[in-house]
Amino acid sequence: MKNINSYRVFERNNKEPNKEGDYVLYWMQINRRFHYNFALEYATGWANKLNKPLLILEAFSCDYPWATERTHTFVMQGMKEHIEYADRLKLNYVSFVETESGQYEKLLKQLASKASLLVTDEYPVFIMRKRNEKYPLEMDMPYITVDSNGLIPLGFTEKDPYSAYLFRKIMQKNFVEAFTNPPKKAPLDELRNKKKIKLPGSYFENLPNGRDSLSNISETVSGLNINHNVGAIEWHGGRQAALGMLGRFTKDNLLEYDEKRNNPDEKKTSNLSPWLHFGKISEYEIVKAVLEHQPKDWDLDKITYNNGSTGGYFNGNPNIDGFLDEVITWREVGFHFAHHREDYDQFNSLPDWAIKTLNKHRDDPRKWTYSYEELENAQTHDQLWNAAQSQLRRDGIIHNYLRMLWGKKIIEWTPDPETALQYLIDLNNTYAIDGRDPNSYSGIFWCLGRFDRAWQERSVTGKLRYMSSENTRKKVKLKQYLATFGNQKELI
Ligand SMILES: Cc1cc2nc3c(=O)[nH]c(=O)nc-3n(C[C@H](O)[C@H](O)[C@H](O)COP(=O)(O)OP(=O)(O)OC[C@H]3O[C@@H](n4cnc5c(N)ncnc54)[C@H](O)[C@@H]3O)c2cc1C
């Protein structure tokens, strides 16, 4: 039987390794970490097999869709931390921040031209997906993508799961095997050839110096041709910040997670999505840390297959079991969906029932309609919605429960579902620090029916699950939230 991790490896062009190459190249595109990283582990394995040193390239482009100061600052903070780590360990590590379109691609191709083979991150959405489709055709050596995104390898599912229930069944059958075949904590410890790689100076001619760009991040960012209206957030983009967040969560909030997570005022969720998005922390280490808080007599033998139902699988503390369902099932169902569906960001990827009901109601009169700018500037009649949008603008995130309401209302307040979808994608991916992720598309398309079922029919939104601000105010604790993000005078 094949090892579960073999389903993580995608040979993209079936070329033979170049034995004359100077090194193995690991191109760190999205899983920006040196620990618990299957792709880095795989590249290290190849370097050892060919007795070559390993070159790691971590770069950042300036012309990607929805590029903002916010994203740039967060990513560059992480890269700066990496320089210090790489120097300490004397790694062959190149960090590079592009200031003009095309520089990144040129450098990548130059570095690849001297490599025996190239390993990079498998990722099912956004520019990484496009690059991983385009570059293998343009390169002469093996171009291999390795999936280090979640526990169940992307190559393990045969088609797009249309519901969380369906994916949960697969997860339940394979969790133990996946969890007991984890990525190595420090794969670079096993690298044998530590020779210093000398790169020709000509590769870097007319390019900004990566180290200089990162020494003063705000200055570098201010000179880039990106959106400067969306500024940096308080959270730091490095791995240390992610580990700190995980530590605080498991210590203070995990054991009340399921009970209180829907109440914005309780602040019981992990806040880990920004670092998960940029791969600063792996899902495996989160799951491992969380399982360490199960009751003392709990072990993997307590797990019982439960046919895809939410409860009755981990059989531990319900708060922990609830968190695991979010971070494994709900996180990964979106990755697997996008992996199998090139149209993951298109209206037509919605289930048939959702398309049918939205078409039936597309001409229903709307009580309110807002332009993109009105929504962006939190100028609607709905104080709670405006508060959620204000949180997104300021902090780059919306509390999960309110994120659902935020998405649902945009469908009601736009002239047609396609416009709603476009506004949702643009607002989310511009302002959210965890945006441009498979989960961005899961969340947005969930509002339009993906991974959901038909509910009672109403005007405009048809059979989509309905959410109202009035009910949300009754259901969840919002006093502090509204005091921070809403208009004080209108507090109820
Ligand atoms: C309209 C809309 C847009 C969204 N956009 C994004 C986005 O851009 N990026 C993003 O990562 N998530 C997105 N989500 C999903 C979810 O809201 C966030 O993952 C979650 O709120 C992140 O906060 P947390 O890390 O504190 O979550 P926790 O509750 O602590 O959960 C831990 C982790 O589990 C995963 N998770 C939790 N809830 C969900 C969910 N409903 N769907 C998928 N994964 C989940 C996330 O990886 C999360 O970090 C969106 C949801 C909606 C409704």
Side-chain angles (χ1 to χ4, degrees):
M1 215 171 78
K2 273 166 78 175
N3 179 287
I4 191 160
N5 289 329
S6 61
Y7 294 94
R8 298 185 180 279
V9 180
F10 300 87
E11 291 181 13
R12 295 288 194 143
N13 59 5
N14 295 318
K15 298 250 160 83
E16 286 299 312
N18 172 10
K19 297 232 168 65
E20 307 308 313
D22 293 340
Y23 43 77
V24 166
L25 178 61
Y26 169 49
W27 175 25
M28 190 182 263
Q29 286 196 72
I30 185 77
N31 281 314
R32 294 171 179 263
R33 61 178 183 270
F34 293 118
H35 296 88
Y36 298 109
N37 180 340
F38 279 115
L40 178 59
E41 186 178 320
Y42 191 81
T44 307
W46 263 107
N48 288 346
K49 193 164 157 185
L50 299 174
N51 191 25
K52 307 268 178 195
L54 179 70
L55 178 67
I56 302 169
L57 168 67
E58 183 179 13
F60 203 48
S61 60
C62 64
D63 66 349
Y64 60 94
W66 308 292
T68 61
E69 264 191 25
R70 176 165 295 174
T71 316
H72 257 76
T73 307
F74 198 81
V75 171
M76 288 169 73
Q77 287 167 340
M79 288 171 77
K80 194 171 176 178
E81 205 178 78
H82 273 177
I83 289 190
E84 288 153 22
Y85 181 85
D87 283 352
R88 249 194 339 272
L89 267 74
K90 299 197 170 44
L91 303 176
N92 288 301
Y93 167 74
V94 174
S95 62
F96 174 68
V97 180
E98 177 181 81
T99 52
E100 276 170 39
S101 182
Q103 294 171 335
Y104 184 166
E105 178 169 325
K106 194 170 155 216
L107 179 63
L108 169 73
K109 288 193 171 161
Q110 275 175 329
L111 295 177
S113 70
K114 289 278 183 286
S116 292
L117 84 164
L118 182 153
V119 177
T120 188
D121 303 325
E122 175 67 32
Y123 197 66
V125 301
F126 197 46
I127 50 174
M128 296 82 190
R129 179 180 183 129
K130 293 200 175 119
R131 288 168 174 165
N132 288 341
E133 284 163 0
K134 174 176 171 246
Y135 289 145
L137 310 174
E138 299 171 2
M139 291 193 185
D140 270 340
M141 83 311 260
Y143 186 108
I144 303 167
T145 59
V146 179
D147 163 28
S148 201
N149 298 300
L151 278 175
I152 306 300
L154 289 175
F156 203 75
T157 45
E158 280 164 12
K159 59 191 196 63
D160 50 303
Y162 58 81
S163 69
Y165 165 72
L166 199 72
F167 181 73
R168 197 179 290 107
K169 276 188 173 188
I170 300 171
M171 186 283 285
Q172 291 185 346
K173 283 186 187 151
N174 297 288
F175 171 81
V176 175
E177 195 187 348
F179 185 71
T180 52
N181 283 282
K184 291 186 173 135
K185 181 176 178 186
L188 288 168
D189 286 357
E190 294 181 10
L191 182 66
R192 288 200 284 270
N193 186 332
K194 304 250 171 89
K195 205 173 94 191
K196 183 90 199 130
I197 300 169
K198 276 219 163 72
L199 294 167
S202 61
Y203 284 8
F204 300 93
E205 248 166 44
N206 303 322
L207 291 185
N209 180 310
R211 286 178 181 248
D212 291 349
S213 318
L214 291 161
S215 64
N216 188 338
I217 294 176
S218 54
E219 195 182 291
T220 305
V221 165
S222 67
L224 297 175
N225 184 17
I226 54 176
N227 183 345
H228 294 284
N229 295 325
V230 183
I233 53 167
E234 250 180 49
W235 286 336
H236 186 279
R239 177 168 167 83
Q240 292 315 313
L243 295 176
M245 198 59 104
L246 175 63
R248 283 190 296 282
F249 171 65
T250 50
K251 183 170 156 282
D252 300 332
N253 302 320
L254 175 64
L255 295 181
E256 291 180 310
Y257 176 82
D258 210 37
E259 223 175 292
K260 298 188 175 167
R261 72 192 171 100
N262 283 339
N263 288 314
D265 282 357
E266 305 272 12
K267 300 193 172 87
K268 291 290 169 190
T269 65
S270 72
N271 291 325
L272 283 167
S273 58
W275 294 278
L276 270 168
H277 170 63
F278 291 108
K280 302 308 298 184
I281 190 163
S282 74
E283 189 190 303
Y284 166 76
E285 58 190 316
I286 297 175
V287 171
K288 183 169 167 283
V290 159
L291 285 176
E292 279 160 13
H293 289 75
Q294 289 284 29
K296 283 212 163 45
D297 64 343
W298 188 91
D299 60 21
L300 291 177
D301 290 341
K302 288 271 186 302
I303 288 178
T304 47
Y305 177 69
N306 197 24
N307 203 25
S309 295
T310 38
Y313 174 70
F314 285 104
N315 300 312
N317 181 307
N319 289 291
I320 297 180
D321 298 3
F323 179 78
L324 291 172
D325 193 52
E326 296 298 329
V327 78
I328 309 173
T329 304
W330 277 103
R331 177 167 185 272
E332 291 193 29
V333 69
F335 276 79
H336 283 260
F337 184 91
H339 176 71
H340 292 285
R341 297 287 296 256
E342 221 171 320
D343 61 352
Y344 67 86
D345 59 350
Q346 303 294 312
F347 181 74
N348 281 337
S349 70
L350 285 170
D352 291 347
W353 70 264
I355 295 179
K356 209 166 140 198
T357 197
L358 285 165
N359 279 336
K360 183 175 164 201
H361 290 274
R362 68 169 55 243
D363 296 326
D364 290 357
R366 271 70 174 154
K367 197 165 170 195
W368 290 281
T369 50
Y370 294 107
S371 67
Y372 183 81
E373 287 67 31
E374 285 167 324
L375 294 169
E376 184 175 36
N377 294 318
Q379 290 165 341
T380 76
H381 65 282
D382 184 328
Q383 189 214 6
L384 181 52
W385 192 92
N386 293 344
Q389 173 64 16
S390 304
Q391 188 192 10
L392 182 63
R393 286 178 67 102
R394 195 192 82 175
D395 293 351
I397 203 91
I398 309 179
H399 180 277
N400 182 46
Y401 195 85
L402 299 180
R403 214 165 183 173
M404 297 190 265
L405 177 75
W406 174 85
K408 289 284 185 189
K409 291 292 118 182
I410 293 181
I411 303 166
E412 264 181 83
W413 298 341
T414 38
D416 53 69
E418 288 82 359
T419 306
L421 184 58
Q422 200 49 55
Y423 286 5
L424 274 162
I425 293 176
D426 284 339
L427 285 172
N428 189 82
N429 287 354
T430 302
Y431 285 94
I433 191 65
D434 60 5
R436 308 155 303 279
D437 188 276
N439 277 334
S440 315
Y441 297 97
S442 280
I444 291 166
F445 280 79
W446 175 86
C447 294
L448 288 143
R450 181 182 292 170
F451 305 141
D452 206 0
R453 63 171 171 86
W455 294 72
Q456 200 190 346
E457 193 161 4
R458 331 174 142 249
S459 149
V460 183
T461 53
K463 291 184 181 171
L464 298 186
R465 182 195 296 256
Y466 182 74
M467 286 178 77
S468 81
S469 298
E470 294 69 33
N471 273 345
T472 303
R473 281 170 184 262
K474 283 184 209 142
K475 246 171 114 170
V476 303
K477 291 189 185 156
L478 287 164
K479 209 169 156 198
Q480 279 173 31
Y481 186 85
L482 287 173
T484 310
F485 299 108
N487 180 344
Q488 295 270 5
K489 273 187 240 152
E490 291 176 28
L491 278 182
I492 49 164

